[in-house]
Amino acid sequence: MEIKHIFVVGAGTMGSGISQTAAVSGYEVTMMDVVPEQLERARTTITKSLEKLASKGIIDQQQVDAAAQIAYVDSFATVEQADYVIEAATENPELKLKIYAELDRLTRPEVILASNTSSISLTKIAAATGRADKVIGMHFFNPVPLMRLVEIIRGLATSDQTTATAVELARKMGKEPVEANDSPGFISNRILCPMINEAIFVLQEGIGTAEAIDAVMKLGMNHPMGPLALCDLIGLDVVLFVMDVLQRDLGDDKYRPAPLLRKMVDAGYLGRKTGKGFYAY
C-alpha cells in the first residue's frame, strides 16, 4: 500500500517533530492530541522550527508550505483515512495499550501502527491489537528534524514486510534506520540512560558539580552535550521511567535509578519542559 497520509498521535516534543519531518518530506499529516492547548503549542513550535530551518537553507519554501498544511485534531475521527500511524504519546504503558486497542478498531486492517516508545515492549503493545504483525517501533530522536537516527524495533510477531515498510518510510523522511530487536531500552536507551544515571550518582555523591561532570564528558569524551544537560533535554521523568523498566525487566540492580533522580522527579524538576532540572531554564 502506498503511504500518503500519516496520522501522528501526540503533540508533544516528539510528536511535533515527527509531524514536521513527515510533512516536509511530502506526506499529508494529521497530528492528534486530546489537549487543545498542546496542539496550539505544537503549531507554534513547528512554525518557529520551519522559519529557522528555512533561514539556514536546510529546507525550501515549498517544504515550509507543505508543513503549514498539517491538520491539528483532538480526536481519532479522521484516523480511518490514514495510511500509516505513528504514536508518540506519553511514555505510559496503560495509556499506550488503550490507544493501540482504539487504533486497531478504527484504522483499516492493512495499516501499520508504529510506536515512538523509548523503552516499552513492542511485543506487549502489539498484543493489545489484532494485527501484531503490523506493529513496530520507530524510535525517533530529539530534535527530530535534525537527528538522523530512527531505531526500528521489531516485536515478536512483527512481519518482514512491516519492517521493510518502516525502514523505507524512515529513509523517505531523510533518516537513517537502524534495526533492533525488542528488549528493554532497545539499543539506544540500554546504553544511554545508564550512563546518564551514573552521572547523577556522581553528582549525588559530590564528586563534581553538574557543570564539571558535563565538561568532562564534552571535553574528554567528545560528547556534544553533557549527560546532565542531555537528561534535562530528554526529561528527568522519561529517564527515570526507562531506568525503572531496565531494572524491573532485566532483573539487575545495576540499573537502579539514582535516588537523586527520583527525588527531583517527585519535586517536579523535569528539565527543560518545566524550566528546572539539573540546570535552570
Side-chain angles (χ1 to χ4, degrees):
M1 181 182 69
E2 184 180 4
I3 298 172
K4 295 182 179 179
H5 183 187
I6 297 176
F7 194 99
V8 179
V9 181
T13 300
M14 298 307 294
S16 298
I18 293 167
S19 296
Q20 176 182 324
T21 302
V24 300
S25 300
Y27 294 99
E28 178 185 354
V29 177
T30 298
M31 177 163 51
M32 177 267 181
D33 199 294
V34 295
V35 181
E37 294 80 8
Q38 187 63 53
L39 289 169
E40 286 307 310
R41 282 194 291 270
R43 190 195 300 268
T44 300
T45 298
I46 290 173
T47 299
K48 290 180 178 178
S49 176
L50 292 169
E51 291 173 352
K52 187 174 182 179
L53 293 174
S55 70
K56 294 182 176 180
I58 297 174
I59 59 175
D60 58 30
Q61 189 58 47
Q62 184 177 356
Q63 290 173 304
V64 172
D65 294 342
Q69 302 304 311
I70 294 173
Y72 298 84
V73 301
D74 60 5
S75 76
F76 286 130
T78 59
V79 74
E80 62 182 16
Q81 301 168 13
D83 302 318
Y84 198 98
V85 176
I86 301 176
E87 170 272 315
T90 302
E91 200 74 342
N92 179 308
E94 290 73 23
L95 174 63
K96 286 192 188 289
L97 296 182
K98 182 179 179 181
I99 288 172
Y100 276 86
E102 189 76 353
L103 289 172
D104 187 45
R105 184 177 68 83
L106 296 174
T107 56
R108 303 194 307 277
E110 67 271 20
V111 171
I112 291 171
L113 307 178
S115 178
N116 183 60
T117 180
S118 57
S119 60
I120 299 171
S121 167
L122 271 301
T123 301
K124 184 174 183 178
I125 290 174
T129 75
R131 61 180 89 184
D133 60 317
K134 293 182 175 65
V135 175
I136 194 164
M138 290 187 75
H139 183 201
F140 291 80
F141 291 77
N142 186 31
V144 178
L146 299 178
M147 297 294 282
R148 294 178 60 197
L149 175 65
V150 175
E151 203 172 16
I152 304 291
I153 303 102
R154 298 182 63 140
L156 183 63
T158 304
S159 70
D160 291 341
Q161 181 58 52
T162 294
T163 303
T165 301
V167 166
E168 181 183 11
L169 177 63
R171 287 181 176 146
K172 287 184 176 179
M173 290 173 69
K175 305 304 181 185
E176 290 287 340
V178 176
E179 293 185 41
N181 288 321
D182 191 16
S183 180
F186 318 129
I187 295 173
S188 57
N189 283 331
R190 175 75 176 269
I191 298 169
L192 175 64
C193 287
M195 181 196 75
I196 293 173
N197 192 55
E198 194 63 29
I200 299 170
F201 269 115
V202 171
L203 178 65
Q204 176 183 303
E205 293 167 17
I207 299 171
T209 63
E211 292 80 2
I213 292 165
D214 281 354
V216 165
M217 297 305 291
K218 287 190 294 182
L219 300 176
M221 287 68 177
N222 205 29
H223 290 197
M225 180 180 287
L228 299 178
L230 180 56
C231 188
D232 279 354
L233 178 64
I234 295 170
L236 276 71
D237 52 336
V238 175
V239 174
L240 176 59
F241 179 83
V242 173
M243 293 308 301
D244 279 336
V245 168
L246 292 176
Q247 183 184 27
R248 182 191 70 229
D249 292 355
L250 296 174
D252 193 329
D253 279 346
K254 74 178 182 180
Y255 299 111
R256 177 176 68 94
L260 176 60
L261 173 60
R262 196 177 299 280
K263 183 181 294 185
M264 291 180 71
V265 170
D266 287 343
Y269 301 159
L270 307 183
R272 287 180 179 266
K273 58 189 172 185
T274 60
K276 184 175 177 60
F278 295 103
Y279 299 93
Y281 300 91

